[in-house]
Amino acid sequence: MSLIGFVFIFGGAIVGMILRRVLPDHHLRDDSRDVIKLATGLVGTISALVLGLLIASAKGSYDAQTTETEKILDQSWSKNGTRAYRLDTASIGGGVLYDKIQALNPSDELQRSIKSQALSLTVNIGQLCMLMYEQATLVVSKPLLVIMVFWLTVTFVIWGLLAPPNGTVIAVMLASALSASGAILLILEMYSPYEGFIRVADAPLRAALAHLGH
C-alpha cells in the first residue's frame, strides 16, 4: 500500500511537470501562482495534520501491545520469532482453568484465600486476552489512507506545476515522495506489531519473566 502511495505521489509531481510544459503561459502568471500556492498550503496543512493523527493513533496501538502477560506473550510469538498469534473463545475466557480452580475444595482460610486470588487472576488474564484480541483486530481506515494519498498527490501535482523540471527538483520530489510513503509504511507497520519490520520485542519481557521464575 505504501508503494502504491509512492507511485501516486511521485507520479503527481511528474504529471505537474508535464502540465507546466503544455499549459499556456498566462495560467502560471504571478496572480495565478499566488492562488495556486494558497491552495497548496491548505491541502498540505490538512495532509500533515491527518498524517500526524494517524501516526499518533498507530503509535498508541503499538504501545498497547507491550503490556500483556506471559500467556499473551507466548501466544503472540513462536520460538523462531515468527507470528504465532492464536486466540480462541476458550483461551480468552480461560474456561477450563477457571472451572478447575472453581472445583477446588479449600480446607482452611488460607486455601480459601488462595483460591479467591487464583480465580481473580484467571479473570484478569481472560480480560487481558480479550483486550489483546480486540487490539489485534484494529486496522487503519483504508478510506482515510486513500484520501490522504489523494491530498498528497494533489500537493505534488501543484509542486511539479510550479517548479522547473531539472534534476535537483526531481531529486527533491523523489525524496519527499519517499518520505511520505515511508510515513504510510510506518503507520501500517505499527498497526501490525507481531509481523513485518517493526515488531514488539519479546526479549525484555522474557528476561523479566525468567527473573520472576527464580
Side-chain angles (χ1 to χ4, degrees):
M1 186 174 293
S2 60
L3 181 60
I4 293 174
F6 168 76
V7 171
F8 275 93
I9 294 168
F10 184 65
I14 301 300
V15 170
M17 293 178 186
I18 295 173
L19 288 175
R20 178 186 175 89
R21 293 183 175 182
V22 300
L23 285 176
D25 292 339
H26 68 274
H27 284 207
L28 298 177
R29 289 177 181 170
D30 291 341
D31 50 352
S32 299
R33 292 173 69 92
D34 291 340
V35 174
I36 293 172
K37 289 178 180 179
L38 288 173
T40 306
L42 174 62
V43 177
T45 301
I46 294 174
S47 301
L49 288 173
V50 174
L51 193 61
L53 289 174
L54 284 175
I55 292 175
S57 176
K59 184 61 166 60
S61 176
Y62 179 85
D63 290 341
Q65 307 297 319
T66 63
T67 58
E68 309 303 335
T69 63
E70 181 180 9
K71 177 180 178 181
I72 296 175
L73 180 64
D74 289 334
Q75 288 175 334
S76 302
W77 286 275
S78 63
K79 297 302 182 183
N80 61 3
T82 58
R83 188 180 185 189
Y85 193 64
R86 298 291 185 272
L87 282 176
D88 52 27
T89 54
S91 65
I92 293 173
V96 175
L97 178 61
Y98 188 88
D99 291 341
K100 288 184 178 295
I101 296 175
Q102 187 66 38
L104 295 175
N105 294 314
S107 58
D108 55 35
E109 188 62 30
L110 177 60
Q111 292 182 356
R112 282 190 290 271
S113 176
I114 293 174
K115 176 182 177 180
S116 176
Q117 293 179 21
L119 290 173
S120 177
L121 286 173
T122 303
V123 172
N124 289 338
I125 290 174
Q127 291 174 343
L128 288 172
C129 287
M130 177 64 75
L131 176 62
M132 193 72 169
Y133 177 78
E134 292 297 332
Q135 290 170 346
T137 61
L138 293 176
V139 293
V140 64
S141 171
K142 297 299 190 301
L144 186 57
L145 273 182
V146 170
I147 293 173
M148 187 181 66
V149 169
F150 172 75
W151 288 339
L152 291 171
T153 302
V154 170
T155 302
F156 273 70
V157 168
I158 298 175
W159 286 351
L161 185 64
L162 297 179
N166 55 55
T168 301
V169 169
I170 293 175
V172 170
M173 294 290 188
L174 178 62
S176 299
L178 284 172
S179 300
S181 59
I184 296 174
L185 177 63
L186 183 66
I187 292 168
L188 296 174
E189 284 290 314
M190 285 193 294
Y191 270 112
S192 303
Y194 302 109
E195 55 187 356
F197 300 108
I198 304 176
R199 273 205 297 251
V200 175
D202 64 333
L205 295 177
R206 289 193 182 278
L209 291 169
H211 285 292
L212 289 175
H214 294 302

